[in-house]
Amino acid sequence: MKNKEPLFSKNNLKLITNPLSKDNPITVQVIGICSALAVTAQIKPAVIMTFSVMFVLALSNVIISILRKTIPAQIRIIVQLVVVASLVIVVNEFLKAYFFDVSKQLSVFVGLIITNCIIMGRLEAFALTNKPWLAFLDGIGNSLGYGLLLIIVSFFRELLGAGTIWGYSVIPEYFYNLGYENNGLMILPPMALITIGIIIWIQRSKNKNLIEGK
Amino acid sequence: MEHLFNIFIKSIFVDNLVFSTFLGMCSYLAVSKTVKTSAGLGIAVVFVLTITVPVNYLLENYILKQGALSWLDSSFSDVDLSFLSFIMFIAVIASMVQLVEMIIEKYSPTLYSQLGIFLPLIAVNCAILGGSLFMQQKQFDTISEATVYGFGSGIGWLFAIITLAAIREKLEYSNVPKPLRGLGITFIVTGLMSLAFMGFMGIKL
């Protein structure tokens, strides 16, 4: 092993930076959307969701990557589901113990990390064919890309919908006296979809390579 | 009976899996290009939800819930296995999907060739696991309520994906701004549909 790559070589770092923009899991790969929409009414649950996904994705990527030569191809989905489900149980119990109010708010969506396409998608597309360290970086990168989008969406929804950021109100009283009102619609589910639609629009008009169709 | 009908209508319109909880979004966006394929996937989802929700209901009430094991022996009455519910539910779903696939293949090859590619995908569709998790949260009293809920949610999902596919087929001919084509406009259309569905909120039958 003469030409061993350094741990943070250029190619390895790309695994982390690509998912942040041009290979973003949500806006480009279109995976992991369900939870991205449902938990973004406020910033705090979005951040906690990001860390939960990061934990599950990075560890399951590593575990599957270590086992990749021993798992028979026909039953790999079940094996992956078992690994992911056990990690999610750990996360769920941890959240219940230390962040009870947020875990109530996230309700079923912590459990739904199991079937979050981002996890299965990365396991299938990357961890099954790559070494553990690369799989780990890929997991971290993709969950950061996922988290970035979650935080952008939740920032706008919380700011416009409730006038707060991380639960602190940031819009001065003065504005309200002038007749400004919070837009309650932003908190409701449909605006999550429309916000992501607009983010995709902005991203694609900046980066022409991503445009679909003719 | 009236009560069951209420649950059925509510799970289709008010608590629609796609529009109010965003479940099964990934396959919803990926498969909804034509009405035909989306109907195939939708029917498979109805099928699997109708089977897995009641099975998981039994599991939840006779094995996992606190005190659920007391039918075995009264000393088990304070055993709480609910932390295992994720792994149990997903195991039930994955094996049920496999089972359904085998049964359909044996008895109805035509249906199998139509659903074929979609069935294995369903095991990892969040709508299915979501159906079971919401069933757990809603705490239904009887198994028939859970079954009706599963069936209704499935129909709601089928309904949503077919309408979106129909709209997308028409969108092919419209002049959408270039960067918005494909995924972007689909998101916005779904958002508008979801806004329309908000009108059903709070309906009591």
Side-chain angles (χ1 to χ4, degrees), chain A residues 27 32-34 37 89 92-93 107-109 111-112 114-115 117 188-190 193 200-201 204-205 211-212 214, chain B residues 21-23 25-26 29 83 86 124 126 129-130 133-134 137 178-183 187 190-191 194-195 198:
Chain A
T27 59
I33 299 173
C34 330
L37 296 164
I89 290 177
N92 191 37
E93 297 295 311
S107 72
V108 300
F109 290 97
L112 286 173
I114 300 173
T115 49
C117 342
L188 297 175
L193 286 158
I200 292 175
W201 189 0
R204 293 196 178 176
S205 36
I211 294 177
E212 286 172 49
K214 331 97 228 191
Chain B
T21 48
F22 307 117
L23 294 182
M25 265 314 204
C26 305
L29 293 171
F83 68 93
F86 292 160
V124 289
C126 18
L129 182 64
L133 292 177
F134 275 115
Q137 213 176 46
K178 267 204 181 113
L180 204 52
R181 268 185 201 157
L183 188 60
F187 265 104
T190 317
S194 159
L195 261 184
M198 303 268 313

Side-chain angles (χ1 to χ4, degrees), chain B residues 80-170:
Chain B
D80 184 1
L81 292 177
S82 54
F83 68 93
L84 282 177
S85 56
F86 292 160
I87 207 163
M88 292 292 270
F89 286 177
I90 199 75
V92 166
I93 289 169
S95 42
M96 274 299 155
V97 168
Q98 205 93 80
L99 202 69
V100 167
E101 200 182 339
M102 287 195 285
I103 293 175
I104 296 184
E105 192 181 7
K106 179 118 204 311
Y107 291 104
S108 170
T110 38
L111 184 63
Y112 180 75
S113 60
Q114 277 163 7
L115 296 183
I117 31 170
F118 298 120
L119 273 173
L121 279 180
I122 282 186
V124 289
N125 186 331
C126 18
I128 310 289
L129 182 64
S132 290
L133 292 177
F134 275 115
M135 173 277 296
Q136 188 186 26
Q137 213 176 46
K138 284 177 193 276
Q139 297 176 331
F140 291 118
D141 294 326
T142 63
I143 185 165
S144 49
E145 284 177 20
T147 318
V148 168
Y149 175 75
F151 181 63
S153 313
I155 296 283
W157 202 87
L158 171 73
F159 184 60
I161 196 170
I162 288 185
T163 26
L164 181 70
I167 295 177
R168 281 182 84 171
E169 281 187 354
K170 295 276 175 218

Side-chain angles (χ1 to χ4, degrees), chain B residues 165-177:
Chain B
I167 295 177
R168 281 182 84 171
E169 281 187 354
K170 295 276 175 218
L171 270 179
E172 288 282 301
Y173 306 106
S174 50
N175 191 13
V176 179

Side-chain angles (χ1 to χ4, degrees), chain A residues 105-164:
Chain A
Q105 221 173 341
L106 292 173
S107 72
V108 300
F109 290 97
V110 181
L112 286 173
I113 297 179
I114 300 173
T115 49
N116 194 327
C117 342
I118 216 171
I119 311 251
M120 297 305 281
R122 290 326 291 173
L123 289 180
E124 286 279 299
F126 199 89
L128 276 178
T129 47
N130 284 286
K131 295 214 173 89
W133 172 246
L134 296 182
F136 177 75
L137 290 182
D138 179 77
I140 297 282
N142 274 288
S143 43
L144 282 178
Y146 169 84
L148 181 72
L149 203 92
L150 242 68
I151 289 168
I152 296 176
V153 175
S154 59
F155 174 78
F156 285 111
R157 285 182 74 193
E158 193 178 342
L159 180 67
L160 299 175
T164 56

